């Protein structure tokens, strides 16, 4: 049930900003994207794994190829893995006159590339020599690479199930077949062997492999604060699952982790160009937290600041009421006043500019389409009597400073505090382990009406 009519959201293609040379100058320089664990077609890798928006950001206007290969059914050293990649790249470079290209991989997509760089004389099933590909590689960018294995692979190939790990993490193992060849390959004991016997090229601490410069993009923590949009980039459930893995120590035995790959593995070799505490394993392939733009600069061989100097504002300046009450999140809750189950409308980013006034967007982001807070204008749903059928008053000023963070007061004035007070702000987020009482518009599932409700927000 929705409070206001919704428009179907149409996603517009995002034009990449050209940061480097002109179109003519890089007409023969391309970008190849190689996904990680999972059996993907080029189409599914484009739409489901990377997303078109992320691809367009990273390729920086250059012609590109998204490969699909059996990344779960085949280990990175198997011909059915690297050979399939070679057999897609060769016709692409020939048909498009590509003389050089950057390879961008994610997760275990680094493994078939490492095999290719160390075995340039190998031949694919279609008779294409690996050298036909590696000779044209100008640089390699490993995103969240599994260079030394992951304890998660140790866990799932031993127990055969995820037990306490959220289902959203299953995708990173190819959709649930935990003992497939690619997962077994990523066991830490197996990767020690492959790194030492030359199966996978690249020695610890090196910055190039086979004469190709290696850059590494990685996250070093999992940020799953429900009250920050940083955790929602790419999908909040991924953040939750990866956070669970990190807390259990399954992303790394003894180092920081993006939830899936530990810093000891992602930093095994290569020049680390992004080392972000907000960038979890899933988000690195979705260009979150400005990572895609930095990769685009690297693709264009433009200068980029070192990780220590990469400071960016949070993607969303979440308002106080949203931090205290999570007004941008949809879900069921209990109304403290009636004990009825209610549906919190919330506000997804797709609702921000859909042309309608979305009440929780006003609170979560400070605006909804062309409307902004604070405002006492008639369009403000928080001061419309229609939405207060069980209340005698409509958002009276007497609610200020009463211990409940009232979204309607924030919509009217930009704050909820006792008039003239400097400290009694009801919308300051409680510390971890605490909670806020929060008032906002919701749908009462018992009475079947829109109503102003009060729910408890735990922190």
């Amino acid at each position: 049930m929705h409070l206001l009519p919704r428009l179907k959201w149409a996603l517009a293609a995002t034009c990449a900003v050209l940061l480097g040379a002109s179109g003519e100058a890089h007409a023969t320089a391309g970008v190849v994207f190689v996904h990680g664990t999972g059996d993907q077609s080029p189409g599914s890798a484009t739409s489901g794994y990377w997303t078109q928006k992320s691809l367009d950001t990273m390729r920086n206007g250059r012609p590109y190829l998204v490969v699909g290969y059996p990344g779960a059914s085949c280990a990175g050293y198997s011909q059915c893995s690297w050979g399939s990649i070679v057999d897609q790249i060769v016709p692409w470079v020939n048909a498009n006159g590509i003389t050089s290209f950057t390879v961008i991989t994610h997760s275990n997509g680094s493994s078939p590339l490492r095999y290719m760089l160390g075995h340039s004389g190998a031949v694919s099933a279609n008779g294409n020599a690996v050298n036909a590909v590696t000779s044209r590689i100008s640089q390699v960018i490993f995103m969240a690479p599994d260079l030394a294995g992951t304890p998660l692979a140790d866990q799932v190939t031993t127990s055969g199930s995820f037990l306490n790990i959220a289902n959203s993490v299953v995708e990173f193992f190819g959709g649930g077949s935990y003992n497939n060849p690619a997962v077994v390959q990523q066991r830490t004991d197996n990767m020690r062997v492959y790194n030492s016997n030359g199966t996978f090229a690249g020695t610890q601490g090196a910055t190039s492999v086979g004469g190709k410069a290696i850059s590494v993009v990685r996250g070093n923590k999992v940020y799953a604060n429900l009250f920050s949009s940083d955790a929602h980039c790419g999908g909040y459930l991924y953040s939750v699952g990866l956070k669970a893995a990190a807390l259990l120590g399954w992303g790394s035995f003894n180092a920081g982790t993006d939830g899936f790959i530990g810093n000891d593995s992602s930093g095994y070799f290569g020049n680390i160009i992004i080392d972000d505490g907000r960038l979890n394993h899933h988000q690195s392939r979705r260009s979150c937290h400005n990572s895609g733009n930095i990769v685009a600069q690297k693709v264009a061989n433009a200068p980029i600041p070192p990780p220590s100097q990469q400071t960016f504002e949070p993607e969303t300046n979440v308002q106080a009421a949203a931090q205290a009450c999570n007004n941008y999140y949809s879900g069921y809750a209990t109304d403290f006043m009636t004990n009825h189950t209610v549906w919190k409308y919330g506000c997804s980013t797709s609702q921000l500019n859909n042309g309608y006034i979305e009440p929780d967007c006003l609170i979560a982001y400070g605006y909804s389409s062309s409307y902004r807070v604070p405002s006492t204008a008639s369009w403000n749903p928080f001061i419309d009597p229609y939405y207060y059928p069980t209340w005698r008053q409509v958002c009276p000023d007497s609610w200020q400073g009463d211990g409940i963070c009232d979204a309607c007061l924030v919509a009217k004035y930009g704050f909820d505090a006792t008039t003239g007070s400097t400290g009694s702000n009801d919308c300051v987020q409680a510390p971890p382990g605490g909670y806020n009482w929060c008032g906002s518009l919701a749908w009462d599932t018992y009475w079947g009406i829109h109503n102003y409700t009060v729910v408890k927000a735990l922190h």
Side-chain angles (χ1 to χ4, degrees), residues 16-172:
V17 177
L18 300 182
L19 299 174
S22 65
E24 291 77 17
H26 61 63
T28 57
V31 183
V32 172
F33 293 90
V34 180
H35 64 78
T37 306
D39 293 349
Q40 302 279 356
S41 66
S44 66
T46 297
S47 61
Y49 193 92
W50 298 100
T51 74
Q52 190 64 57
K53 181 178 179 180
S54 182
L55 292 168
D56 287 342
T57 297
M58 291 187 285
R59 70 186 178 93
N60 199 6
R62 286 160 166 69
Y64 70 106
L65 172 71
V66 177
V67 302
Y69 68 101
S73 303
C74 298
Y77 53 75
S78 299
Q79 186 189 56
C80 54
S81 174
W82 57 262
S84 177
I85 296 172
V86 168
D87 287 337
Q88 292 171 71
I89 294 177
V90 169
W92 174 71
V93 297
N94 290 339
N96 293 279
I98 305 296
T99 56
S100 67
F101 58 88
T102 297
V103 179
I104 299 176
T105 75
H106 179 259
S107 193
N108 196 47
S110 59
S111 292
L113 256 293
R114 292 179 66 190
Y115 184 88
M116 291 162 59
L117 291 172
H119 301 81
S120 59
V123 179
S124 72
N126 287 353
N128 290 308
V130 169
N131 183 59
V133 169
T134 56
S135 63
R136 303 193 197 194
I137 294 177
S138 58
Q139 63 175 330
V140 179
I141 301 175
F142 288 149
M143 308 187 73
D146 187 8
L147 305 177
T150 170
L152 267 169
D154 300 354
Q155 292 285 342
V156 298
T157 56
T158 299
S159 68
S161 71
F162 273 100
L163 299 179
N164 295 323
I165 297 182
N167 290 335
S168 57
V169 180
V170 173
E171 178 189 327
F172 297 114

Side-chain angles (χ1 to χ4, degrees), residues 114 147-148 195-196 202-206 218 263-270:
R114 292 179 66 190
L147 305 177
N195 282 333
S196 63
T203 58
Q204 187 170 12
R218 72 177 188 183
N263 291 357
D264 45 357
S265 182
S266 59
Y268 186 69
F269 67 83

Side-chain angles (χ1 to χ4, degrees), residues 140-266:
V140 179
I141 301 175
F142 288 149
M143 308 187 73
D146 187 8
L147 305 177
T150 170
L152 267 169
D154 300 354
Q155 292 285 342
V156 298
T157 56
T158 299
S159 68
S161 71
F162 273 100
L163 299 179
N164 295 323
I165 297 182
N167 290 335
S168 57
V169 180
V170 173
E171 178 189 327
F172 297 114
F173 284 112
S177 181
Y178 311 135
N179 286 294
N180 61 48
V183 175
V184 174
Q185 171 234 292
Q186 291 175 81
R187 287 179 56 94
T188 55
D189 52 357
N190 288 336
M191 288 299 289
R192 279 194 295 271
V193 174
Y194 302 142
N195 282 333
S196 63
N197 67 9
T199 298
F200 294 138
T203 58
Q204 187 170 12
T207 56
S208 65
V209 176
K212 312 299 180 181
I214 306 294
S215 298
V216 172
V217 172
R218 72 177 188 183
N220 54 56
K221 295 178 183 176
V222 180
Y223 192 72
N225 185 347
L226 186 62
F227 298 93
S228 170
S229 66
D230 285 346
H232 286 253
C233 182
Y236 183 68
L237 289 180
Y238 285 104
S239 296
V240 171
L242 292 167
K243 183 66 172 181
L247 290 174
L248 289 169
W250 288 4
S252 175
F253 286 130
N254 56 10
T257 178
D258 65 5
F260 196 86
I261 304 297
N263 291 357
D264 45 357
S265 182
S266 59

